[in-house]
Amino acid sequence: MLRNLRSLSKRAFCAENCNKVSAFPVGDPFCVVAIESSCDDTGVAIVESNRRVLADLRAGQAHIHEEFGGVNPIFAARAHNVAFPKLLKKLSSYYTPELMGKVVGVAATVGPGLKPCLHEGIEVGLRLAKEFGLPFFPVNHLEGHLLSPRLEERQGRDVEFPFVGLILSGGHCQAVLARNVGEYVVLGETVDDSIGEAFDKTARMLGLSVGGGGGANLERLARTGNPFGVKMPIPMARKERRHEIIFSFSGLKSHTRRIVRQEMSISEKADIAASFQRAAFQHVVEKAKLAVEQAKKELEICSLAVCGGVASNSLLMDMLKEFSHEKGLQLYSPSQHLCSDNAAMIGWAAIERLQRGKHTSVPPMVSLKPLPKWSLEDTDYIMNAHG
């Protein structure tokens, strides 16, 4: 295995720019070291091709961004710079000769995300690949989220292609048809705020902590409120927009701002949180229905996969579970610790591509630019265009 690994490294580096990596034998377990730094979570991981996460280490930044009411890109990048050496030192304790004989490369998020933050992770990934004498694999952050439900075995209930995926996070809100690894069609996306961003801003209106994301605190407050206690508009519910696969949360957010008063009781705030949450999720469910209907016109769809930080919300999953049951769909989401940004999902995305011969390796001595707007429909990284 080590000889094959070195051979792969040599093939990858001798190309003038970058090489397509041949598919790895399914029965031959291999590992990828992974790096994640697209926003405010620093992550390093080691993932094995048989779906084993051997290491998943993280550092958060909630205490840094609390005073800004959101993520400050420059401060986030500095925090990544401080966190990476500490995490990599811990990760080195896993570097046994047996493990290193299985490692075939280093994967890192190249986009989309915050440019200063992406830069930190790319530099760490390239440096690590150079130290190991192995290829560097650029990974699309959204593909990492989308494939994360496939990382975990579910006793014969794996997420099979094709499926419809919902990527719901602090920076993204998309409905995606996943035909296969690397073959994605964005069926619909937000035209303004992401759902996670809308939750964070609403949490801030209600005086909740938003460092590291306010969604969890909003959900906690909503549990004690009446979801029908405050009248909330369902986004895109007008007749002329009802059948479009478009997400929008700015109107709901503006309506909430108008009804929030400076002096409110905890119960009043809880009713607003619960009502806001219900309206936002009803909107998501309605657009998910349209996305599944659209996908079924082309392919037989049996699965709905929900990923991203918002997928950890229990009310959302209950509502989607009811819809999936009605439509005869299997509903999947990653375990809660894999919903938020993490390096394990980045390593797994690289592995999925390597197993199918769909990954491009990049020599680690090359300087790579972050791709803050990297589309999920263009996950084949072309170094000549972006390097």
Side-chain angles (χ1 to χ4, degrees):
M1 181 65 187
L2 184 58
R3 184 179 301 168
N4 293 339
L5 179 151
R6 299 303 176 196
S7 174
L8 167 65
S9 174
K10 185 176 180 181
R11 291 200 307 273
F13 294 171
C14 68
E16 182 179 0
N17 286 317
C18 53
N19 277 347
K20 209 72 176 176
V21 180
S22 300
F24 282 71
V26 175
D28 193 9
F30 61 92
C31 296
V32 169
V33 175
I35 305 293
E36 160 62 22
S37 66
S38 61
C39 191
D40 62 335
D41 287 304
T42 313
V44 299
I46 303 172
V47 185
E48 196 170 41
S49 58
N50 58 6
R51 302 186 185 184
R52 291 178 62 206
V53 178
L54 305 181
D56 181 13
L57 308 177
R58 313 179 194 190
Q61 304 177 6
H63 61 290
I64 296 173
H65 303 290
E66 179 66 40
E67 64 177 290
F68 300 107
V71 178
N72 181 299
I74 301 301
F75 282 84
R78 290 175 184 172
H80 288 310
N81 187 268
V82 171
F84 269 128
K86 299 175 183 177
L87 292 180
L88 290 174
K89 184 176 181 180
K90 293 180 182 178
L91 195 70
S92 66
S93 65
Y94 294 85
Y95 296 161
T96 63
E98 181 182 1
L99 173 68
M100 296 310 293
K102 294 181 179 180
V103 175
V104 299
V106 178
T109 303
V110 173
L114 301 176
K115 189 174 181 178
C117 299
L118 292 168
H119 175 77
E120 293 295 331
I122 292 170
E123 289 300 304
V124 167
L126 287 170
R127 187 165 63 248
L128 206 58
K130 187 175 182 179
E131 290 176 6
F132 291 162
L134 295 173
F136 176 86
F137 303 125
V139 174
N140 183 292
H141 179 78
L142 296 180
E143 186 172 33
H145 274 306
L146 190 62
L147 297 178
S148 62
R150 290 172 51 83
L151 173 54
E152 299 170 296
E153 292 185 280
R154 293 176 173 81
Q155 299 179 344
R157 292 180 58 249
D158 294 338
V159 189
E160 301 290 346
F161 292 103
F163 64 86
V164 169
L166 295 177
I167 304 175
L168 307 172
S169 68
H172 307 279
C173 185
Q174 293 183 340
V176 179
L177 169 59
R179 294 193 179 110
N180 207 327
V181 173
E183 300 175 23
Y184 312 116
V185 177
V186 177
L187 301 172
E189 57 191 337
T190 182
V191 293
D192 40 62
D193 294 338
S194 70
I195 184 169
E197 184 181 6
F199 268 63
D200 289 347
K201 290 178 179 177
T202 302
R204 194 179 309 133
M205 292 179 210
L206 296 174
L208 303 176
S209 172
V210 296
N217 290 327
L218 186 74
E219 179 185 11
R220 197 173 296 112
L221 177 62
R223 291 194 191 113
T224 64
N226 178 359
F228 297 96
V230 178
K231 187 175 181 179
M232 291 279 183
I234 307 301
M236 309 295 287
R238 289 192 310 234
K239 186 176 181 180
E240 62 270 21
R241 309 302 298 271
R242 190 174 297 165
H243 300 293
E244 296 177 345
I245 310 175
I246 295 175
F247 297 93
S248 173
F249 299 95
S250 62
L252 179 60
K253 182 186 65 182
S254 297
H255 179 84
T256 304
R257 183 180 289 111
R258 287 193 293 270
I259 62 177
V260 170
R261 304 188 312 275
Q262 191 165 4
E263 297 295 332
M264 291 191 301
S265 66
I266 293 296
S267 62
E268 288 176 316
K269 290 183 178 181
D271 285 349
I272 291 175
S275 300
F276 171 87
Q277 190 174 241
R278 175 192 56 79
F281 290 158
Q282 187 173 332
H283 173 51
V284 170
V285 171
E286 289 175 357
K287 298 308 176 183
K289 291 178 182 178
L290 293 177
V292 170
E293 290 171 5
Q294 180 66 30
K296 281 188 172 182
K297 292 178 182 179
E298 177 186 341
L299 298 164
E300 183 178 351
I301 302 296
C302 300
S303 303
L304 175 65
V306 190
C307 49
V310 184
S312 62
N313 186 292
S314 57
L315 175 63
L316 171 65
M317 295 309 298
D318 286 343
M319 294 173 70
L320 288 172
K321 191 178 297 181
E322 183 179 349
F323 152 65
S324 299
H325 181 73
E326 291 173 0
K327 298 296 182 181
L329 299 171
Q330 291 282 357
L331 179 66
Y332 298 93
S333 66
S335 297
Q336 192 159 358
H337 71 282
L338 290 176
C339 288
S340 57
D341 292 348
N342 63 89
M345 70 180 190
I346 301 304
W348 178 248
I351 286 170
E352 288 255 44
R353 282 181 161 267
L354 287 167
Q355 288 175 328
R356 291 164 176 78
K358 290 186 176 183
H359 222 314
T360 300
S361 67
V362 177
M365 63 285 292
V366 176
S367 177
L368 295 180
K369 296 178 181 178
L371 299 176
K373 306 272 185 195
W374 193 6
S375 170
L376 189 56
E377 293 184 327
D378 184 26
T379 51
D380 288 326
Y381 186 91
I382 303 174
M383 208 178 86
N384 286 336
H386 304 293

